Amino acid sequence: VQLQASGGGLVQSGGSLTLSCAASGSFFSINAMGWYRQDPGKQRDLVASITTTSMRNYADSIKGRFTISIDKAKNTVYLHMNSLKPEDTAVYYCNADFTKLNRVRGNSWGLGTQVTVSS
């Protein structure tokens, strides 16, 4: 599975951005998709995830400000980010948990997209 992310950029504090990530390639099914973020020198942390049955999981730091959604027909996940804070600045990575054609579980990462929130 290849993941193509887009939507990062520079925004002022309090502003909004929407990230999108489309999965492509040959696979049996997408099971879940999510977004992680990473600061330089730090570990990559979960921001939000969603299953294809729409079960969502959010990091405490972004609850009430970010919303994750999925378009199953397009195999695309979105992260709608509102009320952005400077501490949200990071490289955001898309992740997909999927089932391969041979029914073996797989996991892929997209290239990161930079989100910068200025104060």
Side-chain angles (χ1 to χ4, degrees):
V1 169
Q2 293 79 46
L3 301 176
Q4 180 66 49
S6 62
L10 173 64
V11 65
Q12 289 188 332
S13 182
S16 299
L17 279 176
T18 295
L19 305 181
S20 63
C21 176
S24 63
S26 298
F27 50 89
F28 178 72
S29 66
I30 296 289
N31 305 314
M33 297 184 77
W35 290 95
Y36 291 70
R37 66 188 183 188
Q38 186 173 24
D39 286 329
K42 296 185 178 181
Q43 69 179 19
R44 191 173 296 182
D45 294 322
L46 175 71
V47 177
S49 64
I50 185 169
T51 69
T52 50
T53 57
S54 297
M55 291 182 63
R56 295 172 172 82
N57 185 35
Y58 292 103
D60 289 341
S61 61
I62 58 88
K63 283 182 179 178
R65 299 188 296 122
F66 293 9
T67 301
I68 191 168
S69 62
I70 191 168
D71 184 330
K72 290 180 283 186
K74 296 181 179 179
N75 293 316
T76 299
V77 65
Y78 304 93
L79 185 67
H80 308 279
M81 305 184 292
N82 298 315
S83 302
L84 282 160
K85 304 175 181 180
E87 50 263 44
D88 294 318
T89 296
V91 178
Y92 284 69
Y93 294 89
C94 177
N95 179 270
D97 180 280
F98 61 96
T99 300
K100 302 177 184 179
L101 293 176
N102 61 4
R103 304 304 191 265
V104 173
R105 201 76 169 261
N107 192 278
S108 284
W109 291 95
L111 297 177
T113 184
Q114 177 71 46
V115 172
T116 302
V117 184
S118 63
S119 58

